[in-house]
């Protein structure tokens, strides 16, 4: 693992690392914010998953999360959104290929050889963090958040690993990808035509199969009502409907005038970090 960037921020450190990923069969990059408290004790971890076209840097530079993370004493891990490299399959399209990994384990050629983002986020990256930062990070206390495609990823990862994540939050998430154009484009290419495979990465479907919604992590969703993708692509009402059926704790806050941008995310980032920190026991 190689540290490629470092900045002091609010008494802690914002760092960026690259490493060889066996799962994704390429070099991957992630960002890590360590609060000042990490100098003296192990701190809980919040994972942030970014959206279409983003890298690990968008959140770090635009969300304004470091001040609150420093105050609360939580670390933030922000992986890249997809595999990268000259030999990694891609399309000339913002919503498929590099920057658009959708946090799935692809099964179809040419994507399967690199696009294993679900395993990367849930297994390989946490194992690397444990090896490299085991005396700094308390990986028994994890929460997850994300934006848009990354909000979809946060919901799926959190709902498929309820024994690991204390809480889930999301900004403008794709709540039912098997029902919307972004999903109709990406999921068949990554996973094939079997719609049952798509539903393994559909938060609404996963929620609807829960036998006891009270056992699921609490979920906070922020949605701007001036978001141009709201009606066609995001469908938070579908997740709310599934949550009501199984008795899960899901709160969707709909905000007048806000769009899909990082201006929206930065406006409510503090609320989400405090929500996650509360359920992490901070």
């Amino acid at each position: 693992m190689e540290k490629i960037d470092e900045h002091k921020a609010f008494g802690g450190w914002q760092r960026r690392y690259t490493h060889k990923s066996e799962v994704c069969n390429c070099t991957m990059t992630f960002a890590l914010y360590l609060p000042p408290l990490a100098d003296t004790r192990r701190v809980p971890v919040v994972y942030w998953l970014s959206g279409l076209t983003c890298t690990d840097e968008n959140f770090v530079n635009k969300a304004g999360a470091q001040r609150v993370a420093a105050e609360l004493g939580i670390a933030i891990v922000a992986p890249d959104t997809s595999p990268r490299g000259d030999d990694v399959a891609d399309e000339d399209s913002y919503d498929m290929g590099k920057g658009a990994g959708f946090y799935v384990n692809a099964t179809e050629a040419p994507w399967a050889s690199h696009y294993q983002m679900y395993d990367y986020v849930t297994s390989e990256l946490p194992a690397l963090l444990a090896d490299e930062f085991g005396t700094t990070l308390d990986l028994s206390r994890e929460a997850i958040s994300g934006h848009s495609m990354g909000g979809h990823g946060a919901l799926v990862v959190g709902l498929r690993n309820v024994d690991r994540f204390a809480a889930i939050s999301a900004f403008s998430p794709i709540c039912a990808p098997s029902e919307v154009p972004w999903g109709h484009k990406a999921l068949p290419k990554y996973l094939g035509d079997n719609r049952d495979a798509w539903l393994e990465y559909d938060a609404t479907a996963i929620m609807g199969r829960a036998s006891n919604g009270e056992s699921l992590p609490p979920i906070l969703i922020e949605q701007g009502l001036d978001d141009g993708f709201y009606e066609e692509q995001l469908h938070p009402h579908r997740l709310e409907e599934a949550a009501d059926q199984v008795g899960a704790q899901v709160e969707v806050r709909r905000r007048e005038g806000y769009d899909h941008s990082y201006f929206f995310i930065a406006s409510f980032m503090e609320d989400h970090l405090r929500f996650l920190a509360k359920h992490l026991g901070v």
Side-chain angles (χ1 to χ4, degrees):
M1 191 174 74
E2 178 185 1
K3 182 170 65 178
I4 59 173
D5 196 23
E6 179 178 68
H7 302 279
K8 191 83 169 180
F10 298 97
W13 289 99
Q14 182 64 64
R15 292 171 174 153
R16 197 169 181 234
Y17 296 91
T18 62
H19 69 101
K20 173 62 178 176
S21 168
E22 299 298 329
V23 168
C24 293
N25 191 27
C26 66
T27 297
M28 293 293 291
T29 304
F30 69 92
L32 170 65
Y33 180 71
L34 292 174
L37 190 62
D39 290 340
T40 57
R41 69 180 71 173
R42 296 166 74 217
V43 296
V45 176
V46 171
Y47 296 88
W48 173 269
L49 306 184
S50 290
L52 290 166
T53 76
C54 292
T55 69
D56 58 288
E57 293 186 285
N58 296 76
F59 171 82
V60 168
N61 294 331
K62 296 180 179 181
Q66 292 90 347
R67 176 185 61 82
V68 182
E71 175 193 331
L72 295 171
I74 57 177
I76 303 179
V77 177
D80 202 350
T81 53
S82 77
R84 308 279 178 176
D86 293 341
D87 61 340
V88 174
D90 196 15
E91 283 192 3
D92 186 17
S93 172
Y94 81 97
D95 53 2
M96 186 69 199
K98 294 178 185 177
F102 274 86
Y103 304 101
V104 304
N105 286 340
T107 57
E108 302 299 301
W111 313 101
S113 59
H114 295 284
Y115 286 77
Q116 303 295 313
M117 289 299 296
Y118 179 84
D119 279 354
Y120 178 72
V121 169
T122 60
S123 298
E124 187 177 41
L125 182 56
L128 177 68
L129 295 171
D131 288 343
E132 298 288 342
F133 303 101
T135 60
T136 303
L137 303 179
D138 182 356
L139 292 164
S140 70
R141 292 192 290 165
E142 298 174 296
I144 192 164
S145 186
H147 170 233
S148 194
M149 177 188 73
H152 140 76
L155 291 168
V156 168
V157 168
L159 289 171
R160 287 178 57 170
N161 297 274
V162 298
D163 57 332
R164 281 183 53 187
F165 294 97
I168 305 166
S169 89
F171 292 79
S172 313
I174 308 169
C175 292
S178 65
E179 302 176 10
V180 302
W182 275 336
H184 290 167
K185 179 175 182 177
L187 296 179
K189 293 184 178 182
Y190 286 138
L191 304 172
D193 293 331
N194 182 355
R195 294 182 68 91
D196 288 341
W198 303 4
L199 298 180
E200 294 302 311
Y201 299 98
D202 185 307
T204 295
I206 297 167
M207 176 75 74
R209 295 197 301 264
S211 59
N212 177 12
E214 294 181 357
S215 68
L216 300 178
I219 298 172
L220 174 62
I221 291 175
E222 213 76 34
Q223 177 61 60
L225 293 181
D226 277 17
D227 186 328
F229 302 113
Y230 177 38
E231 296 292 341
E232 184 178 30
Q233 302 280 16
L234 305 180
H235 291 193
H237 67 281
R238 294 288 291 118
L239 188 69
E240 288 176 302
E241 291 167 358
D244 287 344
Q245 290 173 4
V246 301
Q249 182 181 336
V250 176
E251 178 182 1
V252 180
R253 299 174 179 173
R254 292 172 170 85
R255 303 288 190 174
E256 293 282 352
Y258 286 92
D259 58 19
H260 200 74
S261 71
Y262 265 87
F263 295 106
F264 168 54
I265 295 169
S267 298
F268 301 105
M269 193 73 240
E270 180 170 353
D271 291 352
H272 281 244
L273 289 178
R274 293 192 183 281
F275 165 79
L276 297 172
K278 172 185 173 182
H279 292 285
L280 287 167
V282 173

